[in-house]
Amino acid sequence: MADGWQRRAWAEVDLDAISSNARVMKAVASPAELCAVVKADGYGHGAVPVATAALAGGASSLAVALVEEGVVLREAGLDVPILLLSEPAGEAMGEVVARDLIPTVYTKAGLEALRKAAIAASRRIGVEVKLDSGMHRVGADFEQARRIVEQVVESPELCYAGLWTHLAVADEPDDPFTGEQLARFEALRSSLEAAGLPAPGRLHAANSAGAIAHASSRLDVVRCGISLYGYLPSAAVSPAPIEAAGLGALRPALTWKTQVSHVRILSAGERTSYGRAYVLAERADIATVPVGYADGVPRSLFEGGGELLIGGRRRQVAGTVTMDQLLVDCGPDSGVRCGDEVVLIGSQGDETVSAQEWADRIGTVSYEILCRIGPRLPRRHVHGGGQL
Ligand SMILES: *Cc1c(COP(=O)(O)O)cnc(C)c1O
């Protein structure tokens, strides 16, 4: 940013908040270990700095969705265990082995491809087996999981590093289905034990919601994503276990900032932006903000009544969000000028707009708001508000 010609819009990511959130989640889940989920470029926060900060806060392993995401972490020099949350394609197993990533497997074909890659590389590789206990996204059913575990244990080139499952409704703490899923997972574990098979390196089931709201899901390790970034998984998940851990609240790590790029004074009755859907009730200062849906501001934020912060006050989005810019009604005689700081997500003065607020306005989850913040927006990584 030093040269000054770049756009004045960026996401500031407080790595101290990430480390603190990791410490909090580790304390909540203790004695379980913490696996930091940094898929989708660390939920839009920057995978490598986030992973580093989470490890500094006490995480002992990482998880990503894609082989490519694991490669990015390895190339940055991170040498902790990295779990792939879905079974890699057969063609990718050579790279998985070369990069020492831990694949999840749940098909015979996937297991065979992994064995071949391990034999070709003359390496012994850790693998985790995933049970589909009811989410029905990926995983092996009960019998298939048993067979795969047996084959893993019989394969000298493989190390049985883990057995895991994923919860579908952990963020709705009253739903009894989480208990059913955990019971199915425990049934598999005990049947493997009864069959004389060795215990896996680790057993896990919990995402952030499980770690916070379902103590019995914590097992050996919890896989936390959204909580590391400072958000509760849903409004239904009580922060009480976090408060009880005594290390403070989760802190949102990301602040989205820009500057007013243009200001017009418009009369009552004027209409703004595409579709001319916003009508000025009175004369007002209309500020132009140089970020749009190509940066990840939802186009529907206007219809949802979206607000952002200028001059320490909430201001209404005035008209349809466009690709690169949006408009804001600052009211009459606002004093708002070109160059003033704008906070889209985060705090300014005493006001705060959170990713959760945007999510509620447009009918989605904070996860989607965060990971849709696009690559066009630079990320600045800071410690507690001071730039690195
Ligand atoms: C994304 C993901 C997680 C993390 O979930 P959060 O709700 O963000 O904590 C954990 N496990 C799996 C399998 C996932 O896909």
Side-chain angles (χ1 to χ4, degrees), residues 37 39 43 85 137 164 166 207-208 223-226 367:
V37 180
K39 61 190 176 186
Y43 291 38
L85 292 166
R137 182 172 63 173
W164 67 278
H166 189 49
N207 49 10
S208 295
R223 305 183 306 269
C224 291
I226 198 70
Y367 302 67

Side-chain angles (χ1 to χ4, degrees), residues 17 20-22 24-25 227 230-232 239 242-243 245-252:
S20 164
N21 296 334
V24 168
M25 290 311 298
S227 52
Y231 286 92
L232 287 171
I242 288 171
E243 285 154 15
L247 293 178
L250 297 176
R251 279 158 48 197

Side-chain angles (χ1 to χ4, degrees), residues 282-295:
E282 56 177 349
R283 177 176 62 86
D285 300 344
I286 299 294
T288 304
V289 171
V291 292
Y293 62 76
D295 300 299

Side-chain angles (χ1 to χ4, degrees), residues 168-326:
V169 289
D171 60 343
E172 295 161 47
D174 296 336
D175 193 321
F177 193 65
T178 298
E180 275 177 51
Q181 285 194 273
L182 292 170
R184 289 176 197 168
F185 187 56
E186 168 55 20
L188 174 63
R189 188 207 62 77
S190 59
S191 99
L192 293 167
E193 185 183 59
L197 291 160
R202 60 184 195 175
L203 284 164
H204 49 107
N207 49 10
S208 295
I212 297 166
H214 303 273
S216 63
S217 74
R218 290 171 190 154
L219 306 177
D220 294 327
V221 57
V222 296
R223 305 183 306 269
C224 291
I226 198 70
S227 52
L228 282 184
Y229 306 100
Y231 286 92
L232 287 171
S234 73
V237 171
S238 160
I242 288 171
E243 285 154 15
L247 293 178
L250 297 176
R251 279 158 48 197
L254 183 142
T255 301
W256 185 347
K257 288 184 181 170
T258 183
Q259 293 176 359
V260 173
S261 60
H262 194 57
V263 182
R264 313 273 329 271
I265 301 171
L266 297 181
S267 316
E270 291 288 340
R271 295 166 166 266
T272 55
S273 195
Y274 290 126
R276 306 184 67 223
Y278 185 76
V279 188
L280 271 72
E282 56 177 349
R283 177 176 62 86
D285 300 344
I286 299 294
T288 304
V289 171
V291 292
Y293 62 76
D295 300 299
V297 181
R299 189 169 177 278
S300 54
L301 192 61
F302 163 58
E303 286 80 7
E307 294 177 334
L308 44 72
L309 308 177
I310 304 174
R313 288 178 53 184
R314 286 179 168 264
R315 320 272 184 178
Q316 202 182 346
V317 175
T320 305
V321 173
T322 73
M323 189 182 293
D324 312 305
Q325 304 178 80
L326 58 84

